[in-house]
């Protein structure tokens, strides 16, 4: 059972930064998704992918994974790049 630890990105559809300080531990799918023969929806018998754990820091998430023997990969936070532009640049 493997997992991925990452920090939530900012929602691109809204200007708020809610829950971006949380770190998330998600499990990797253990089996492939397949279409349901009756309805055609895709799904699998793997219920671990539904589990999403949140932590206050990456160290807490890594400690949790180590405590329960979960092989976890910590994804680093990409650097934030600001595009400084003035309003007058729209009319050049």
């Amino acid at each position: 059972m493997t997992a991925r630890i990452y920090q939530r990105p900012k929602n691109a559809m809204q200007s708020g930064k809610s829950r971006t300080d949380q770190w998330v531990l998600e499990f990797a799918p253990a089996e492939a998704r397949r279409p349901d023969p009756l309805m055609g929806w895709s799904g699998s018998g793997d219920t671990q992918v539904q589990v999403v754990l949140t932590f206050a820091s990456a160290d807490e998430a890594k400690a949790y994974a180590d405590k329960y023997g979960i092989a976890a990969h910590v994804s680093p936070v990409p650097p934030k790049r600001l595009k400084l532009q003035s309003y007058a640049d729209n009319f050049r």
Side-chain angles (χ1 to χ4, degrees):
M1 160 171 43
T2 61
R4 179 173 75 119
I5 298 172
Y6 64 96
Q7 190 173 18
R8 288 185 198 241
K10 184 178 120 15
N11 187 351
M13 302 300 289
Q14 297 175 350
S15 62
K17 296 182 181 179
S18 176
R19 300 177 2 174
T20 57
D21 57 340
Q22 295 178 347
W23 287 81
V24 179
L25 185 137
E26 281 184 344
F27 292 97
E31 64 182 55
R33 297 174 65 99
R34 59 189 181 284
D36 182 49
L38 179 63
M39 299 298 289
W41 297 337
S42 65
S44 70
D46 182 23
T47 58
Q48 275 298 44
V49 293
Q50 299 174 6
V51 177
V52 177
L53 302 172
T54 58
F55 298 92
S57 69
D59 295 330
E60 289 180 14
K62 187 65 178 163
Y64 178 86
D66 291 340
K67 179 179 178 182
Y68 290 102
I70 302 168
H73 169 69
V74 179
S75 300
V77 179
K80 295 180 183 178
R81 291 175 276 151
L82 295 176
K83 182 180 178 184
L84 299 176
Q85 181 179 359
S86 68
Y87 181 69
D89 291 341
N90 293 334
F91 302 103
R92 287 190 178 162

